[in-house]
Amino acid sequence: MFSQKATSCALKCISRRGFATIAQCSGAPSTFILHRTPWSPPIAKRAKGIYIEREDGVTMIDAVGGAAVTSIGHGHPTVLRAMKEQLDKICCTYNMQLSNEPAEALARHLVEGSNGAFELCGLVSGGSEAMEGSIKAAKQYFYEKGDHKRVNFIGRDLSFHGNTVSMLSLAVQPGRRAPYEGMLDKTHFHHVSPAYATRYSFRGETEVQYVERLRHELEQKFLELGPETIVAFAAETVTGTTTGVVPPPKGYFKAMKSVCDKYGALFILDEVMCGMGRMGSTHTWQTYGDSVAPDIQAVAKGLGGGYAPIGAVLLSSRVARGLRGDGTGFWKHGHTYQALPIACAAALAVQKVIASENLLVNCRTQGAYLGELLTERLRGPFALAAPVTFDVRGGGCFWGVEFDMDRQPNFGMRVQQRAFDRGMVIMGFPGERGGHVMLAPPYNVTRAEVEQIVNLLRDSVEDVVLFFLRMVTLYVFVP
């Protein structure tokens, strides 16, 4: 049925990646796109709410919002109307020449809705650029002050901040860094341990002791590099793809910021994936970060909700006044599609829908139910998946399930593929002990949709468990 070449390709994909099928690897290339996968993904034709219809007629439930992007689902009429109205006015302005109404309105909305945490907003075209713009704004802040010794940034191991070369340098996600190791900047980007208590706290160590150990480690890194050389410490408020929705231990960010404040460095939070309502509050640090506001914050995915590529850099009064009051008065960072009118109109409409439909409350309510069902059906006493499910964690519409499967680093990716075969889109990732999967449904997800998602995930995990059990049986009993 399949050519020898196609079969060989699939087997390599399965052994290396854990999620490819023979059908996906068969035949000649069917696309002129340089895809990010070793196969050509199915083509999506249309979408509405939480459902996506493929060109081949298959309808799938999107349980992860693409990449935790679609905050209010697909095809919301209010957003579509706002975008169409903007198209009739103006689609593009270059923001070094002209500003535009939706950009000004969106920036005002973000600043005025921050309860004083932020004073200025820089609008960019996506998450990687938002983090790139954040570290450049931090460096510019000290440059404007005449403090030219500050050239070092501290990030964390097992982190992700974007796919530019500098963001790959700031973060540590081995799979994404591997092809570029020789060109990454290891002179100005340094790392400390992740805040990942379930894997890295010592036996018998309390949460308070664990946080103090990480605080001490960060301070020692400052002292090792020279406190006067540190620009900023940067971290995801709640981690995304690399470790799979790991919230920080209580008191962690208060401790980290205390080190930054002690030595005059800036504190940067990356909320590209976890922010803008994803975990039940506009800013995730309000509920998962000890309510410690950052000096600079990056947001993106939930901002535009998938209707247009957009991100933002939010600046505290300290940084804003350093740039606008004491410095040149402008941001030395820019790209062609910054503050694009159509993107800003879409993002502003998305944020108004979240407010008018009270979606943060629904996000918290359905998110609690989602976490309850995941725990019951994957870790409960009668769950077939319980022996391989190491942890269920998250909040709001952002949840991760981590596996513990000896010598099967691609277990999470196999679960992703099985869910896809069953008609559900999730995100799966490899890991030393089995990897993890992530769920990020839209904030307007219903109770019935939550149940459908959890049932499909449970069935997919059990399918993979049974597959391995059959393999073990064959190995033991077949001569």
Side-chain angles (χ1 to χ4, degrees):
M1 181 176 179
F2 297 102
S3 68
Q4 184 176 356
K5 180 179 179 182
T7 304
S8 175
C9 171
L11 290 174
K12 287 179 181 177
C13 288
I14 291 170
S15 63
R16 294 177 185 173
R17 305 281 183 172
F19 51 81
T21 66
I22 293 176
Q24 290 168 326
C25 292
S26 62
S30 59
T31 179
F32 293 98
I33 296 176
L34 182 61
H35 283 293
R36 296 175 65 187
T37 54
W39 63 85
S40 297
I43 296 174
K45 186 177 181 180
R46 60 173 59 90
K48 186 68 175 177
I50 200 171
Y51 298 97
I52 299 174
E53 181 185 341
R54 294 178 358 197
E55 190 180 49
D56 57 8
V58 174
T59 297
M60 308 190 74
I61 185 168
D62 183 5
V64 74
V69 176
T70 54
S71 51
I72 61 171
H74 301 275
H76 197 292
T78 299
V79 183
L80 298 182
R81 183 167 57 251
M83 295 179 73
K84 290 172 182 175
E85 289 174 356
Q86 186 59 43
L87 285 171
D88 289 334
K89 296 176 182 178
I90 185 169
C91 299
C92 177
T93 58
Y94 182 45
N95 73 336
M96 286 192 73
Q97 299 164 341
L98 295 164
S99 188
N100 61 79
E101 290 178 342
E104 297 288 345
L106 177 61
R108 184 181 306 112
H109 176 87
L110 292 173
V111 170
E112 291 181 349
S114 72
N115 294 321
F118 305 112
E119 189 170 303
L120 280 178
C121 169
L123 295 169
V124 296
S125 8
S128 293
E129 191 194 340
M131 276 304 294
E132 190 87 21
S134 293
I135 67 166
K136 289 176 73 176
K139 182 67 180 80
Q140 185 185 341
Y141 169 78
F142 288 110
Y143 179 84
E144 302 277 14
K145 289 164 60 73
D147 192 349
H148 302 309
K149 289 183 179 179
R150 292 189 183 264
V151 294
N152 290 315
F153 290 86
I154 301 175
R156 302 187 300 188
D157 291 331
L158 298 180
S159 57
F160 183 66
H161 295 299
N163 261 332
T164 63
V165 171
S166 59
M167 288 305 100
L168 291 173
S169 300
L170 176 63
V172 179
Q173 191 180 68
R176 294 182 189 263
R177 284 168 61 112
Y180 315 106
E181 279 292 348
M183 59 188 290
L184 298 182
D185 184 348
K186 298 178 183 179
T187 301
H188 301 106
F189 293 96
H190 312 271
H191 306 95
V192 291
S193 299
Y196 193 180
T198 54
R199 287 293 188 189
Y200 295 108
S201 61
F202 296 152
R203 183 183 297 273
E205 187 175 42
T206 67
E207 188 173 50
V208 171
Q209 291 170 333
Y210 178 60
V211 168
E212 172 56 24
R213 177 158 61 87
L214 295 181
R215 187 208 64 78
H216 179 72
E217 180 189 7
L218 180 63
E219 183 164 24
Q220 288 303 114
K221 181 63 70 172
F222 267 71
L223 296 174
E224 172 193 328
L225 297 171
E228 72 285 354
T229 72
I230 309 299
V231 178
F233 167 70
E236 300 159 277
T237 310
V238 171
T239 65
T241 57
T242 307
T243 52
V245 195
V246 178
K250 186 177 180 181
Y252 171 76
F253 281 119
K254 187 175 293 185
M256 298 301 106
K257 192 172 189 302
S258 73
V259 176
C260 295
D261 291 344
K262 180 176 180 179
Y263 297 109
L266 296 178
F267 177 57
I268 299 175
L269 287 181
D270 177 348
E271 295 203 356
V272 167
M273 181 169 270
C274 68
M276 296 311 299
R278 173 57 63 189
M279 301 198 74
S281 56
T282 301
H283 304 293
T284 300
W285 52 263
Q286 294 170 321
T287 49
Y288 290 88
D290 311 316
S291 294
V292 176
D295 295 303
I296 301 175
Q297 180 176 317
V299 297
K301 297 174 186 290
L303 177 62
Y307 289 87
I310 191 168
V313 177
L314 304 174
L315 306 178
S316 67
S317 59
R318 172 189 175 185
V319 179
R321 291 168 188 171
L323 298 182
R324 195 160 66 173
D326 304 327
T328 57
F330 62 90
W331 191 20
K332 295 182 178 180
H333 170 82
H335 290 277
T336 302
Y337 291 109
Q338 268 182 221
L340 198 68
I342 186 66
C344 293
L348 183 60
V350 168
Q351 298 311 305
K352 288 182 176 179
V353 165
I354 292 171
S356 65
E357 297 185 9
N358 210 20
L359 294 188
L360 293 187
V361 172
N362 189 70
C363 181
R364 293 192 293 269
T365 301
Q366 301 305 334
Y369 185 49
L370 175 57
E372 177 187 321
L373 289 186
L374 287 170
T375 301
E376 173 193 317
R377 297 178 187 177
L378 294 178
R379 300 197 74 197
F382 303 107
L384 178 61
V388 301
T389 304
F390 174 74
D391 195 22
V392 173
R393 65 226 175 191
C397 289
F398 198 36
W399 286 83
V401 178
E402 185 174 356
F403 303 105
D404 216 335
M405 190 72 170
D406 188 38
R407 294 189 296 276
Q408 294 298 332
N410 288 324
F411 188 89
M413 303 186 83
R414 289 178 183 269
V415 173
Q416 171 190 265
Q417 178 58 47
R418 190 65 190 121
F420 197 89
D421 294 340
R422 283 182 168 274
M424 182 170 71
V425 184
I426 62 174
M427 295 184 80
F429 301 89
E432 291 182 6
R433 298 178 177 89
H436 58 273
V437 297
M438 281 174 32
L439 302 174
Y443 311 166
N444 48 7
V445 66
T446 66
R447 187 177 179 89
E449 289 166 344
V450 165
E451 292 171 354
Q452 183 183 8
I453 289 168
V454 175
N455 287 339
L456 282 169
L457 180 61
R458 175 202 58 199
D459 294 345
S460 301
V461 175
E462 290 181 355
D463 285 347
V464 179
V465 170
L466 291 171
F467 168 79
F468 280 111
L469 287 175
R470 286 195 295 270
M471 292 300 100
V472 170
T473 302
L474 286 171
Y475 178 79
V476 172
F477 293 104
V478 176

